[in-house]
């Protein structure tokens, strides 16, 4: 390969440096994926290194798939014998082969966040935990311990003198015990257990150290302690480790990422080489200058400056809105105008980036009224929908009959006269015999004080499951899904349902079958275990379709790794971006500034930053100051957007004709929405609506948009009431009581 003509000077040096530790500091848009793929191709084609000796780690399945496709174009099918995968997928692959050494069966289940929450709640109930400690706090605390390689026993010992932490430690201990009884691991266990395996079984570690003589890690700045240790152990013999990353894009501290891992690389690996990729091929010069202005205010970073041969382009456009509704209308009208002027632009060229998912609602409302197609990245995921999780629970249990969480979900779905009281009796019997629930079902004729009707229903269920288990290895996954849908009566029940979403739920199940067929066509391992791994480890961004012609709504966190011609960064106010917690905490402020840097550098041609005089937050009108990050951009790089009155009036006449408009400061066209009385606790409409005194955990309610759900948590502060509701078809939502009326069901 003629690498010198394909790469710039720094890229060439990074590609041809193969032996020893190497840190590639790759700025945004500097071609890091190109460097990684050509580096691997160079190792295979020019240096004759066996592909099976190379391990390439990424953070998303999407990135792994794209990298593998690009390597294939350079070296052909030889890429199939090397590992290009995420941390979690690599660890699953190792554990499927070795986990019996830790006392698990190799067909272990992987619990997603829903399964994890069910099991945590079960532990809390058995330990008689009070409401002062929430399941969310416990899950986050346990996750952080696993990220930091702190076992349940160590956590318990370290917190014996702390009442609150000791209670959480009790849950952690019981949770791990139940996971093992269910032959299951959660996401954090996948890496935690692999590191444990390496440390407790040196022969296993030595095998993989010999296997992977060359290790590459993408997005190294996002690694946590367990990921760092996994890589350190594998690389400690050969030390042929190449990490690629950008400390300026470390934005996941809230989930354990430690920027120190990349900042201290040279201390961890003596005689390491550092190469900086600062040439940006994505963005216009003014965008990069603005990004450099912002990030230069961080002190804890490696010094580098993005540069480009691209022209200056437009300045950063600022828009001061009257309200958050005005902010949404401005962006909709701006998109329409740009599309009218530039016929080469499409809806997919625009992205609206916000700090938190809750900010999407206004843009959804305005875009719907304006006939602007949009898609949300980070909303309800396909595999989180009730009907999909039901069928996946069947598959998980068929694959692993020790999985009590999946069993409890499906035992009465569709309804087969096995109620909660019956399930609880079976659970108690299983616990007394120290066996799984399914084993207890097999002994259902033993005395459990069950009615004959319940016993008959359970026997039918057991017979059904046994038939699926027998079919598991004889038919494909897609055929097994069809068999479950038809034999259980699940599909038939939906066809006769009068619920308005039944048709869409049937369509979703058809899509699940299609996903299974696609998996069978594209995967080497077409087993049920492999399919469950694929769907369990999938992330939001893995399903991002670059060609879908719709405006993208997403958080800045979700946008990392993507690029768009036009980017709108919204809610640019102190208190939102940066968040309130960042304003008095220098470390968190630096993380927020890195997040802003990531947002700006997603744009290729134009960046718009919007902020509002007032906006509704948790049902109350608030007013925040313009973001400090806007102030950090040099004056010559930014300007207020002087939107033409005729353009916005044409937009209003088409879509929002009842609104009133006036001019605000600096010649900005500000929208003054019609005054609307907000819904408060004191003015809930008459009828079958939920009253404050009737709010209780466990009751059913109906939301006009999300449908029927169950209140699972209540949090009160002053006069505000925050409800956590699990909706049947829309997942978990946190809502402020009084913002939208809830009907009592």
């Amino acid at each position: 390969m003629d690498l010198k003509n394909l790469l710039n000077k720094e890229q060439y040096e990074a590609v041809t440096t193969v032996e020893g530790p190497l840190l590639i500091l790759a700025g945004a848009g500097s071609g890091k994926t190109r460097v990684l793929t050509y580096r691997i191709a160079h190792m295979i084609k020019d240096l004759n290194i066996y592909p099976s000796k190379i391990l390439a780690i990424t953070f998303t399945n999407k990135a792994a798939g794209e990298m593998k496709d690009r390597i294939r174009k350079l070296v052909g099918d030889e890429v199939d014998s090397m590992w290009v995968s995420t941390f979690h997928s690599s660890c699953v692959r190792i554990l499927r082969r070795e986990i019996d050494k830790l006392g698990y069966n190799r067909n272990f289940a992987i619990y997603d966040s829903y399964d994890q929450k069910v099991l945590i709640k079960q532990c809390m109930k058995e330990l008689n935990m009070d409401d002062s400690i929430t399941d969310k706090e416990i899950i986050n605390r346990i996750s952080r311990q696993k990220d930091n390689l702190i076992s349940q026993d160590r956590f318990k010992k370290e917190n014996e003198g702390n009442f609150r932490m000791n209670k959480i430690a009790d849950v952690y201990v019981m949770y791990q015990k139940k996971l093992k009884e269910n032959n299951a691991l959660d996401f954090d266990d996948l890496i935690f257990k692999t590191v444990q395996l390496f440390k407790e079984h040196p022969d296993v570690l030595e095998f993989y150290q010999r296997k992977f003589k060359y290790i590459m890690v993408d997005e190294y700045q996002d690694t946590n302690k367990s990921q760092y240790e996994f890589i350190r152990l594998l690389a400690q013999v050969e030390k042929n480790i190449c990490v690629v990353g950008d400390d300026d894009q470390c934005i996941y501290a809230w989930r354990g990422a430690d920027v120190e891992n990349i900042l201290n690389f040279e201390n961890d690996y003596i005689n390491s080489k550092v190469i900086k990729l600062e040439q940006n091929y994505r963005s216009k010069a003014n965008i990069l200058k603005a990004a450099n202005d912002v990030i230069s205010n961080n002190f804890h970073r490696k010094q580098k400056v993005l540069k480009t041969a691209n022209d200056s382009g437009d300045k950063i456009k600022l828009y001061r809105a009257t309200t958050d509704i005005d902010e949404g209308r401005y962006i909709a009208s701006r998109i329409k105008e740009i599309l009218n002027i530039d016929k080469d632009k499409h809806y997919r060229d625009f992205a609206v980036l916000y700090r938190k998912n809750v900010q999407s609602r206004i843009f959804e409302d305005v875009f719907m009224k304006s006939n602007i197609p949009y898609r949300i990245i980070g909303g309800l995921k396909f595999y989180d929908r009730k009907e999909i999780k039901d069928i996946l629970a069947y598959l998980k249990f068929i694959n692993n009959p020790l999985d009590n969480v999946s069993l409890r979900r499906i035992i009465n779905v569709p309804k087969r006269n096995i109620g909660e009281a019956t399930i609880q009796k079976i659970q108690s019997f299983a616990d007394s015999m120290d066996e799984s629930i399914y084993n207890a079902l097999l002994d259902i004729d033993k005395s459990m004080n069950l009615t004959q009707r319940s016993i008959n229903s359970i026997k039918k269920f057991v017979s059904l499951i046994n038939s699926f288990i027998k079919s598991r290895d004889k038919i494909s996954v897609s055929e097994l899904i069809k068999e479950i849908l038809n034999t259980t009566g699940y599909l038939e029940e939906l066809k006769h349902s009068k619920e308005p979403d039944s048709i869409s739920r049937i369509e979703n199940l058809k899509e699940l079958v299609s996903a299974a067929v696609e998996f069978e066509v594209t995967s080497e391992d077409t087993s049920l275990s492999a399919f469950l791994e694929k769907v369990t480890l999938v992330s939001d961004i893995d399903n991002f379709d670059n060609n879908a012609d719709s405006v993208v709504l997403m958080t800045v966190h979700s946008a990392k790794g993507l690029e768009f011609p036009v980017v709108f960064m919204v809610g640019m106010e102190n208190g939102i971006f940066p968040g309130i917690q960042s304003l008095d905490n220098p470390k968190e402020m630096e993380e927020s500034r890195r997040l802003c840097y990531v947002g700006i550098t997603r744009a290729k041609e134009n960046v718009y930053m919007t902020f509002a005089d007032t906006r509704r937050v948790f049902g109350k009108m608030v007013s925040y100051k313009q973001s400090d990050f806007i102030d950090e951009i040099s004056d010559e790089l930014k300007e207020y957007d002087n939107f033409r009155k005729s353009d916005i009036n044409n937009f209003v006449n088409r879509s929002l004709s009842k609104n009133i408009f006036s001019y605000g400061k600096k010649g900005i066209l500000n929208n003054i929405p019609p005054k609307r009385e907000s819904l408060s606790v004191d003015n809930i409409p008459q009828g079958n609506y939920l009253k404050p005194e009737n709010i209780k955990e466990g009751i059913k309610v109906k939301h006009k948009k999300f449908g029927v759900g169950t209140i699972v948590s209540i949090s009160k502060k002053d006069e505000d009431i925050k409800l956590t509701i699990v909706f049947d078809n829309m997942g978990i939502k946190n809502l402020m009581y009084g913002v939208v009326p809830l009907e009592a069901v």
Side-chain angles (χ1 to χ4, degrees), residues 460-693:
K460 287 180 182 178
F461 173 72
V462 169
S463 177
L464 195 65
I465 292 298
N466 285 340
S467 70
F468 293 148
I469 292 174
K470 289 176 183 176
S471 300
R472 181 183 62 193
D473 299 323
K474 298 177 182 177
I475 60 177
S476 65
V477 175
S478 59
E479 291 299 321
L480 181 57
I481 293 172
K482 290 178 187 176
E483 188 173 319
I484 292 168
L485 289 172
N486 293 320
T487 310
T488 61
Y490 195 101
L491 202 58
E492 196 66 24
E493 185 176 83
L494 279 179
K495 287 177 180 177
H496 291 95
S497 172
K498 294 181 180 179
E499 291 294 325
D501 63 348
S502 296
I503 295 175
S504 64
R505 292 174 67 186
I506 291 172
E507 292 300 318
N508 289 336
L509 291 169
K510 289 180 180 178
E511 183 61 28
L512 178 63
V513 174
S514 297
V517 171
E518 182 182 349
F519 159 79
E520 290 155 9
V521 172
T522 58
S523 303
E524 291 180 28
D525 183 355
T526 58
S527 66
L528 178 56
S529 292
F531 177 73
L532 289 171
E533 282 168 24
K534 180 180 182 296
V535 300
T536 305
L537 298 179
V538 74
S539 68
D540 257 4
I541 204 65
D542 292 332
N543 293 322
F544 180 76
D545 182 359
N546 294 301
N547 297 316
D549 194 21
S550 53
V551 177
V552 176
L553 305 179
M554 65 198 316
T555 63
V556 187
H557 282 102
S558 296
K560 188 167 173 290
L562 302 177
E563 59 183 42
F564 304 90
V566 183
V567 166
F568 293 92
M569 296 181 65
V570 305
M572 296 298 294
E573 300 146 39
N574 286 345
I576 296 180
F577 199 175
I580 291 174
Q581 67 277 9
S582 299
L583 298 176
D584 298 319
N585 186 322
K587 186 175 181 180
E588 290 201 14
M589 191 64 170
E590 291 216 349
E591 169 117 350
S592 288
R593 191 173 283 114
R594 292 194 293 265
L595 189 62
C596 182
Y597 173 84
V598 167
I600 295 171
T601 54
R602 296 313 92 200
K604 297 164 73 174
E605 300 170 15
N606 296 98
V607 173
Y608 292 80
M609 291 184 169
T610 63
F611 48 99
D613 288 337
T614 60
R615 69 175 63 245
R616 191 175 293 279
V617 177
F618 292 126
K620 294 182 178 180
M621 295 303 294
V622 298
S623 180
Y624 294 130
K625 176 183 174 290
Q626 171 185 300
S627 173
D628 287 350
F629 300 148
I630 293 178
D631 298 337
E632 291 172 356
I633 299 173
S634 303
D635 289 341
E636 66 270 16
L637 297 175
K638 62 191 178 186
E639 64 183 6
Y640 282 93
D641 188 12
N642 235 340
F643 209 44
R644 291 195 298 268
K645 184 177 181 181
S646 58
D647 291 328
I648 200 163
N649 279 341
N650 288 335
F651 170 75
V652 172
N653 290 335
R654 288 194 307 272
S655 308
L656 305 158
S657 58
K658 294 182 181 179
N659 296 325
I660 306 168
F661 292 83
S662 68
Y663 283 97
K665 298 178 183 178
K666 296 183 184 281
I668 310 164
L669 185 62
N670 281 334
N671 172 318
I672 304 175
K675 189 172 182 180
R676 184 181 66 183
E677 186 180 6
S678 64
L679 188 67
S680 70
V681 173
D682 299 322
N683 63 3
I684 293 293
Q686 297 300 310
N688 192 32
Y689 288 98
L690 186 65
K691 304 295 191 300
E693 61 270 19

Side-chain angles (χ1 to χ4, degrees), residues 329-386:
R329 291 171 181 168
Y330 161 75
I331 290 173
S333 55
R334 234 328 168 191
I335 290 171
K336 289 281 192 180
E337 195 218 29
I338 293 171
L339 289 172
N340 285 334
I341 294 172
D342 188 347
K343 299 303 180 184
D344 291 330
K345 284 281 191 298
H346 300 85
Y347 286 114
R348 62 176 174 267
D349 295 326
F350 300 88
V352 178
L353 306 184
Y354 35 75
R355 181 67 182 82
K356 296 181 178 179
N357 277 312
V358 294
Q359 293 172 255
S360 71
R361 182 188 63 80
I362 284 175
F363 300 104
E364 291 184 72
D365 291 345
V366 173
F367 286 4
M368 280 191 288
K369 292 174 183 174
S370 312
N371 293 319
I372 294 176
Y374 69 90
R375 52 195 159 131
I376 297 178
I377 307 298
L380 182 65
K381 292 182 270 190
F382 175 77
Y383 291 107
D384 282 346
R385 298 181 188 278
K386 179 186 181 301

